């Protein structure tokens, strides 16, 4: 305990332990070990499923060759992670590039590029190696961890995120596109291309490529529908929300038009009343996510409470006096931005000032 830190109470310890136990129950797995030969054949036979959100991410030739070099040299290979699907097939959560490369080398036509350690086999295909070496490669084993069918979808997404932190791989919004395809996600994808949104909330080409607008639109709907189930982990909350909304949209297709109107009405209001849009400055080229959440969702809630705000303009509502002030800046800061209290504070800040205008 650091000097000056408040003491942790027994009640807080109990709550922490209960949370650990509850979250641990979501992870149910077993460990497997397969030879390289079996892994390659299962890939060819489509026993292993590459989810759609991973299909477009492929290793460059140099990385494939370096991986095969490691296998041939007998270096340790990281675990492959799977999720056991209801039909018994295994979806690859992490390791699709390794498995696809093994299949391409053993059963396909992959020719090795320039290698650092094994320079004499540069340019070789698997069939060019001596038969004795081919057998040794086939017999190499790689261990796998299988998240079984009892683990929920959110746990599967959580594992994917944790494994791939910092990797060149699909992001959370991309995962949702693949794992939760449905009418709600269709609407999110449609609105993510909205020209007004792009103008009000500019972002870098990298953020766009990483589905940054998908994330903004999804958060707008999820948070504006209420935070009762929010537990300081946006990915879990939004995943569950999107799954629920897909079902709702399927049951009643008319809901889509209501949500589309909600989005456009709010964007129109922000465009008319907030001179900087969601940016910090008029010429800003970036959009802090916390700032977007505060302004977008706070505006929507204010419009629900005071419909007459719809007809007001900048000269009637002086938002600059508080959007550029220290209180709003602090509420939209990055420190602890995903904590529920901080999220409610920035949304409530905007709503209260608009309602009081």
């Amino acid at each position: 305990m650091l000097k000056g830190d408040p003491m942790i109470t027994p009640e807080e310890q109990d709550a922490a332990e209960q949370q650990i136990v509850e979250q641990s129950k979501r992870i149910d797995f077993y460990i497997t070990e397969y030879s390289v030969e079996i892994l390659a054949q299962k890939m060819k036979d489509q026993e292993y499923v590459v989810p759609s959100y991973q299909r477009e991410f492929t290793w460059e030739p140099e990385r494939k060759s370096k991986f095969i070099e490691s296998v041939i040299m007998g270096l340790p290979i990281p675990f492959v992670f799977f999720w056991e699907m209801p039909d018994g097939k295994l979806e690859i959560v992490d390791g699709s590039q390794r498995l696809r490369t093994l299949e391409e080398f053993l059963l396909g036509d992959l020719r090795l590029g320039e290698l650092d350690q094994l320079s004499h086999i540069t340019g070789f295909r698997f069939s060019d190696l001596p038969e004795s070496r081919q057998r040794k490669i086939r017999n190499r084993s790689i261990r796998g961890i299988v998240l079984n069918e009892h683990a929920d979808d959110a746990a599967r997404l959580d594992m994917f995120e944790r494994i791939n932190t910092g990797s060149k791989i699909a992001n959370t919004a991309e995962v949702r596109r693949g794992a939760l395809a449905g009418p709600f996600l269709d609407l999110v994808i449609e609105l993510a291309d909205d020209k007004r949104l792009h103008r009000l909330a500019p972002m870098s080409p990298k953020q766009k490529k990483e589905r940054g607008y998908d994330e903004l639109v999804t958060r707008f709907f999820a948070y504006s529908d209420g935070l009762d189930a929010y537990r300081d982990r946006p990915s879990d909350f939004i995943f569950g929300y999107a799954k629920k909304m897909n079902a709702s949209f399927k049951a009643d297709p008319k809901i889509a038009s209501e949500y589309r109107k909600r989005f456009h009405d709010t964007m129109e209001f922000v465009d008319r009343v907030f001179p900087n849009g969601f940016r910090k400055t008029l010429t800003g080229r970036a959009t802090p996510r916390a700032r977007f959440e505060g302004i977008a969702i706070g505006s929507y809630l204010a419009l629900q409470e005071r419909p007459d705000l719809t007809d007001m303009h900048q000269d009637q509502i002086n938002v600059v006096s508080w959007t550029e002030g220290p209180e709003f800046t602090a509420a939209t800061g990055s420190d602890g931005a995903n904590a529920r209290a901080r999220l409610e504070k920035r949304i409530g800040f905007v709503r209260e000032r608009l309602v009081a205008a």
Side-chain angles (χ1 to χ4, degrees):
M1 186 76 65
L2 296 176
K3 186 177 180 180
D5 281 355
M7 293 294 294
I8 301 299
T9 67
E11 290 76 16
E12 289 173 325
Q13 289 180 329
D14 289 343
E17 179 61 22
Q18 183 179 354
Q19 185 181 52
I20 292 170
V21 170
E22 289 176 354
Q23 292 300 314
S24 297
K25 287 178 180 178
R26 300 169 58 214
I27 308 299
D28 194 0
F29 68 91
Y30 60 89
I31 297 176
T32 65
E33 188 165 354
Y34 294 117
S35 69
V36 164
E37 180 178 32
I38 290 176
L39 290 170
Q41 190 60 51
K42 282 181 174 290
M43 284 296 292
K44 183 178 180 180
D45 295 342
Q46 298 184 347
E47 285 293 313
Y48 296 152
V49 177
V50 180
S52 59
Y53 55 83
Q54 294 190 49
R55 288 174 196 150
E56 67 178 272
F57 295 89
T58 57
W59 278 352
E60 58 277 3
E62 294 78 10
R63 194 167 181 185
K64 291 180 181 180
S65 296
K66 192 173 183 67
F67 171 68
I68 294 299
E69 182 183 40
S70 298
V71 172
I72 294 173
M73 292 174 64
L75 294 175
I77 304 301
F79 279 83
V80 177
F81 286 78
F82 300 100
W83 174 64
E84 188 175 52
M85 302 171 70
D87 63 2
K89 292 184 178 181
L90 299 182
E91 178 183 289
I92 306 168
V93 176
D94 181 69
S96 69
Q97 303 299 332
R98 280 167 271 158
L99 297 182
R100 281 188 274 187
T101 300
L102 287 175
E103 178 193 3
E104 189 178 353
F105 185 59
L106 269 68
L107 305 176
D109 197 40
L110 177 62
R111 185 189 294 272
L112 297 176
E114 187 172 347
L115 302 176
D116 294 330
Q117 304 298 323
L118 303 179
S119 58
H120 290 316
I121 64 171
T122 293
F124 276 44
R125 295 186 178 90
F126 182 70
S127 59
D128 295 325
L129 294 166
E131 287 191 14
S132 60
R133 179 53 57 187
Q134 291 182 32
R135 292 192 192 96
K136 290 176 182 178
I137 293 172
R138 290 193 189 100
N139 289 334
R140 297 249 190 258
S141 64
I142 295 178
R143 303 186 82 183
I145 292 180
V146 182
L147 191 65
N148 72 27
E149 61 181 332
H150 301 299
D152 59 30
D153 289 336
R156 170 174 152 232
L157 173 62
D158 185 43
M159 184 168 76
F160 178 85
E161 281 188 295
R162 290 174 185 274
I163 293 167
N164 290 294
T165 298
S167 299
K168 182 183 178 183
I169 194 67
N171 54 75
T172 307
E174 189 69 51
V175 172
R176 284 199 296 268
R177 277 196 179 205
L180 290 176
F184 173 71
L185 265 295
D186 289 343
L187 178 63
V188 168
I189 293 168
E190 171 198 322
L191 298 178
D193 287 333
D194 183 71
K195 292 181 180 179
R196 176 186 272 135
L197 173 63
H198 291 200
R199 177 168 52 80
L200 294 173
M203 59 178 63
S204 69
K206 180 177 181 292
Q207 289 174 310
K208 291 178 184 177
K209 186 176 181 181
E210 292 176 350
R211 311 296 186 190
Y213 286 116
D214 285 39
E215 190 69 21
L216 293 186
V217 174
T218 310
R219 288 186 180 219
F220 169 71
F221 287 132
Y223 295 167
S224 62
D225 272 343
L227 296 169
D228 290 344
Y230 188 81
R231 298 293 181 269
D232 296 350
R233 275 193 54 79
S235 58
D236 284 359
F237 177 74
I238 295 172
F239 190 95
Y241 174 82
K243 186 175 182 179
K244 177 186 71 176
M245 294 307 294
N246 267 336
S248 296
F249 276 40
K250 285 179 183 177
D252 185 1
K254 291 183 294 184
I255 296 177
S257 61
E258 297 171 7
Y259 276 72
R260 185 180 292 106
K261 185 176 186 303
R262 176 196 301 190
F263 174 84
H264 287 306
D265 286 350
T266 303
M267 294 303 112
E268 183 181 349
F269 176 77
V270 172
D271 194 10
R272 189 172 63 254
V273 172
F274 289 80
N276 297 340
F278 299 108
R279 299 162 294 187
K280 288 184 178 180
T281 65
L282 187 60
T283 57
R285 297 184 179 181
T287 304
R289 187 175 287 169
R291 190 177 180 90
F292 171 86
E293 292 166 353
I295 294 174
I297 300 150
S299 294
Y300 166 72
L301 295 177
L303 288 168
Q304 293 297 105
E305 194 168 340
R306 276 194 59 187
D308 62 298
L309 289 172
T310 303
D311 301 320
M312 292 190 178
H313 297 268
Q314 287 182 27
D315 56 347
Q316 298 169 287
I317 308 176
N318 181 18
V319 300
V320 175
S321 63
W322 46 266
T323 55
E324 296 183 5
E327 191 174 354
F328 186 61
T329 299
T332 55
S334 60
D335 185 25
N338 290 323
R340 178 169 172 171
R342 291 291 302 277
L343 180 57
E344 291 177 330
K345 182 177 181 180
R346 58 179 171 266
I347 293 172
F349 181 93
V350 174
R351 182 193 65 79
E352 289 167 10
R353 275 149 186 79
L354 288 174
V355 169

